[in-house]
């Protein structure tokens, strides 16, 4: 455990787990991806290590910023992230939001890290004080998350949130020959992986992307072992909802839960089996109903590009777009170089956004 102390702030890294969990219990808005369990899942899937940071201010207020970095890389070649590429990270803030001075001290500490790149993405439900405190030297990447408010319960979501086409689709699914199951032990991980591979082939065709490139990119961005790690570490808080048709897996979604926050994390399907029976409408209806029964106040449907097919699908359940930018400081223009290379490859292969 490393600790640094100054006249205004004390920083401890990595954060002792008992302390992190204690502060998370006192933050009623903490997200699934802000928990130590999520960090452990990331470290299971990639060669990452915990460099989370605990801040204690002169007033006695404290907060935690989850953070990881690659293992065994020289310090000045590292990236430290919270964690723009793996969901929403940002500050776990018990007992209310920090003030502007405290937020600025956190940014100043992150800016002083020796890594080539330091990035943080704050909760879309988090206080705007972070946006007001970003110092010079930090750039931002726009992100949009889609959130469904469950405060009114399932009947409210069903009648006022769900579009009529979703309600109609769910009713047709009920009358179909499809079966719908949920498992919280990881038993459906193989079926999900099978459906994900089939989805990958479909996505590659839609985007005019060579399948080999799509597989390499997905493997780099999300190793298959990540799903198994999530199912194992979250246990009963990881629900895999599976639709089957004609005795074969048709569609599946993975929903994680922490406190009053439910998160739709991953989905995959065999379109030829899922579409005729409206499997995805029914899977989300069941997952949302289950979240309401468990006392959840929010169903987080994740990121999507506004105006895209995926965004419209999420909006059809009543989810609303919330802007959630990621902030980063770089000593070399890594993000710009990555963006340039991606765009060059897209132009070369004639990539089409879905």
């Amino acid at each position: 455990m490393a600790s640094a102390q100054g006249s205004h702030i004390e920083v401890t890294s990595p954060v002792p787990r008992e302390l992190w969990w204690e502060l998370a219990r006192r933050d009623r808005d903490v997200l699934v991806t802000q928990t130590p369990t999520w960090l452990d899942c990331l470290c299971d899937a990639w060669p990452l290590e915990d460099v989370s940071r605990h801040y204690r201010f002169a007033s006695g207020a404290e907060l935690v910023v989850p953070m990881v970095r690659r293992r065994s890389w020289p310090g000045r070649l590292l990236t430290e992230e919270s964690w723009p590429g793996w969901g929403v990270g940002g500050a776990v803030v018990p007992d209310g939001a920090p003030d502007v001075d405290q937020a600025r001290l956190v940014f100043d500490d992150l800016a002083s890290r020796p890594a080539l790149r330091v990035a943080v993405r704050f909760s879309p439900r988090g206080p705007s004080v972070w946006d007001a405190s970003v110092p010079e030297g930090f750039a931002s990447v726009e992100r949009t998350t889609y959130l469904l408010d469950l405060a009114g319960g399932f009947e409210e979501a069903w009648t006022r949130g769900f579009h009529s086409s979703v309600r109609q689709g769910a009713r047709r699914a009920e009358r179909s020959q499809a079966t719908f199951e949920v498992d919280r032990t990881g038993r459906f991980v193989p079926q999900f992986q099978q459906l994900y591979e089939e989805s990958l082939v479909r996505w590659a065709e839609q985007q005019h992307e060579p399948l080999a490139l799509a597989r390499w990119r997905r493997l780099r961005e999300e190793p298959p072992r990540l799903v198994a790690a999530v199912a194992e570490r979250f246990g009963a808080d990881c629900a895999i909802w599976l639709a089957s048709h004609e005795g074969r897996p048709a569609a599946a979604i993975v929903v994680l839960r922490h406190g009053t926050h439910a998160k739709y994390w991953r989905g995959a399907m065999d379109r030829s089996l899922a579409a005729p029976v409206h499997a995805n409408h029914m899977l989300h209806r069941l997952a949302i109903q289950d979240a309401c029964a468990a006392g959840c106040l929010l169903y987080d449907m994740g990121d999507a590009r506004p105006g895209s097919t995926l965004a419209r699908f999420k909006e059809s359940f009543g989810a609303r777009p919330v802007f959630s930018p990621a902030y980063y400081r770089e000593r070399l223009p890594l993000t710009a170089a990555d963006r340039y290379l991606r765009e060059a490859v897209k132009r070369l292969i004639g990539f089409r956004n879905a």
Side-chain angles (χ1 to χ4, degrees):
M1 183 183 301
S3 179
Q5 186 169 359
S7 58
H8 301 291
I9 188 172
E10 180 182 333
V11 184
T12 304
S13 179
V15 183
R17 292 306 176 86
E18 309 80 35
L19 176 59
W20 186 344
W21 279 117
E22 177 192 343
L23 300 185
R25 284 191 290 269
R26 288 161 48 196
D27 181 353
R28 60 188 179 89
D29 291 330
V30 72
L31 305 179
V32 169
T33 53
Q34 292 176 295
T35 65
T37 306
W38 182 251
L39 183 147
D40 289 337
C41 292
L42 299 180
C43 292
D44 286 345
W46 286 277
L48 301 173
E49 64 180 341
D50 178 3
V51 288
S52 54
R53 302 181 74 74
H54 171 259
Y55 298 89
R56 188 184 301 276
F57 304 98
S59 65
E62 51 191 334
L63 61 85
V64 166
V65 175
M67 187 164 284
V68 290
R69 71 182 177 196
R70 295 275 176 176
R71 293 196 298 267
S72 304
W73 284 24
R76 293 189 179 276
L77 297 180
L78 289 168
T79 62
E80 298 184 354
E81 300 189 278
S82 178
W83 15 65
W86 303 301
V88 174
V92 175
V93 187
D95 309 324
D99 60 34
V100 172
D101 290 338
Q102 292 168 345
R104 179 58 68 90
L105 285 171
V106 171
F107 271 118
D108 288 346
D109 173 69
L110 296 177
S112 71
R113 302 294 300 149
L116 277 179
R117 171 185 166 90
V118 176
V120 60
R121 183 179 175 190
F122 293 100
S123 167
R125 302 180 73 198
S128 60
V129 66
W130 298 108
D131 299 328
S133 306
V134 182
E136 292 184 8
F138 277 82
S140 66
V141 177
E142 291 299 324
R143 294 284 187 270
T144 303
T145 297
Y146 286 78
L147 305 178
L148 173 59
D149 186 352
L150 301 181
F154 178 71
E155 287 305 315
E156 178 79 10
W158 171 261
T159 57
R160 297 195 177 186
F162 289 21
H163 190 272
S164 59
S165 62
V166 174
R167 296 195 299 269
Q168 185 180 54
R171 293 188 181 108
R172 288 180 177 176
E174 285 182 306
R175 297 193 298 267
S176 75
Q177 299 300 310
T179 59
F180 298 88
E181 305 172 83
V182 62
D183 179 75
R184 306 178 196 275
T185 68
R187 180 166 58 94
F188 289 159
V189 168
Q191 289 90 331
F192 179 85
Q193 299 286 33
Q194 173 189 335
L195 290 166
Y196 194 84
E197 173 62 25
E198 293 172 357
S199 296
L200 186 59
V201 174
R202 186 181 72 256
W203 295 332
E205 291 175 352
Q206 290 175 344
Q207 296 170 163
H208 198 254
E209 182 179 11
L211 183 57
L213 176 60
R215 283 179 171 148
W216 174 83
R217 186 165 57 85
R218 294 288 176 177
L219 185 64
R220 180 173 175 267
E221 294 174 355
E222 184 176 300
R225 61 185 176 274
L226 179 60
V227 177
V230 167
E232 178 181 350
R233 287 196 176 272
F234 276 93
D237 289 326
C238 172
I240 302 180
W241 297 82
L242 176 68
S244 301
H245 186 45
E246 300 175 350
R248 296 158 56 194
I253 63 174
V254 183
V255 179
L256 310 178
R257 193 165 67 207
H258 175 77
T260 60
H261 176 236
K263 178 176 178 57
Y264 161 51
W265 177 53
R266 288 293 183 268
M269 68 173 172
D270 180 334
R271 182 181 290 277
S272 66
L273 295 174
V277 298
H278 298 269
N280 282 306
H281 288 151
M282 189 61 174
L283 289 174
H284 281 286
R285 173 198 162 170
L286 292 170
I288 291 167
Q289 191 170 13
D290 180 70
C292 290
C296 291
L297 302 177
L298 185 75
Y299 188 69
D300 178 351
M301 298 193 76
D303 293 355
R305 179 171 50 84
S308 65
T309 300
L310 181 58
R312 290 193 294 271
F313 175 78
K314 294 176 179 183
E315 289 171 342
S316 71
F317 288 89
R320 296 291 177 259
V322 180
F323 295 109
S324 173
Y327 298 102
Y328 63 94
R329 186 274 298 149
E330 294 178 335
R331 300 188 186 280
L332 293 174
L334 303 178
T335 298
D338 180 72
R339 186 183 301 118
Y340 175 82
L341 289 173
R342 287 175 182 268
E343 291 301 322
V345 171
K346 286 181 177 180
R347 288 193 299 270
L348 181 65
I349 65 175
F351 186 91
R352 296 189 295 262
N353 286 317

